[in-house]
Amino acid sequence: MALQQGHATSKNHSLQVACVQFINAIITTPDDLDFRLHLRNEVLRAGLDDALGNIPEQPGEDLAVQLEVFEYHREEDVIELQGRFNDIRFELEYPPLL
């Protein structure tokens, strides 16, 4: 995916920030959890995961903010997904009496 390549290979800090900001905008926009998870996994699988591993320890304030946004929304989606499965588990363990 060109966005991950632009982020990973560019020495231009502004381009890196813009790429991650655009990825965040695409991933966080849908209301549907399943679709957000699908988008995030596709972007990570397309190369963003490798690109994130190559970020320096001190990425700069703008890039750090965008990376924090990415991680925050990823964690929030994981919590929401865990909540969904906990609800299902509870229903299986304590089925309603009919």
Side-chain angles (χ1 to χ4, degrees):
M1 181 176 232
L3 287 173
Q4 288 92 334
Q5 290 172 350
H7 175 268
T9 60
S10 176
K11 302 298 181 210
N12 183 338
H13 180 73
S14 297
L15 178 60
Q16 290 178 334
V17 172
C19 288
V20 178
Q21 186 176 24
F22 186 65
I23 290 168
N24 283 337
I26 292 170
I27 292 173
T28 60
T29 300
D31 291 330
D32 182 47
L33 172 65
D34 294 323
F35 193 55
R36 287 193 313 268
L37 292 171
H38 170 72
L39 288 173
R40 185 176 293 109
N41 286 333
E42 287 297 320
V43 169
L44 288 169
R45 197 172 336 178
L48 183 63
D49 201 28
D50 294 333
L52 292 176
N54 295 330
I55 293 176
E57 298 257 343
Q58 300 295 325
E61 186 176 343
D62 294 340
L63 185 55
V65 167
Q66 291 305 316
L67 295 173
E68 286 174 19
V69 168
F70 183 84
E71 288 300 322
Y72 172 79
H73 285 283
R74 180 174 13 190
E75 290 171 10
E76 288 296 311
D77 285 347
V78 167
I79 291 169
E80 187 176 340
L81 184 63
Q82 287 172 341
R84 181 190 294 176
F85 285 112
N86 285 337
D87 292 343
I88 292 170
R89 183 179 52 84
F90 181 78
E91 288 177 10
L92 291 174
E93 289 177 2
Y94 305 102
L97 298 173
L98 298 177

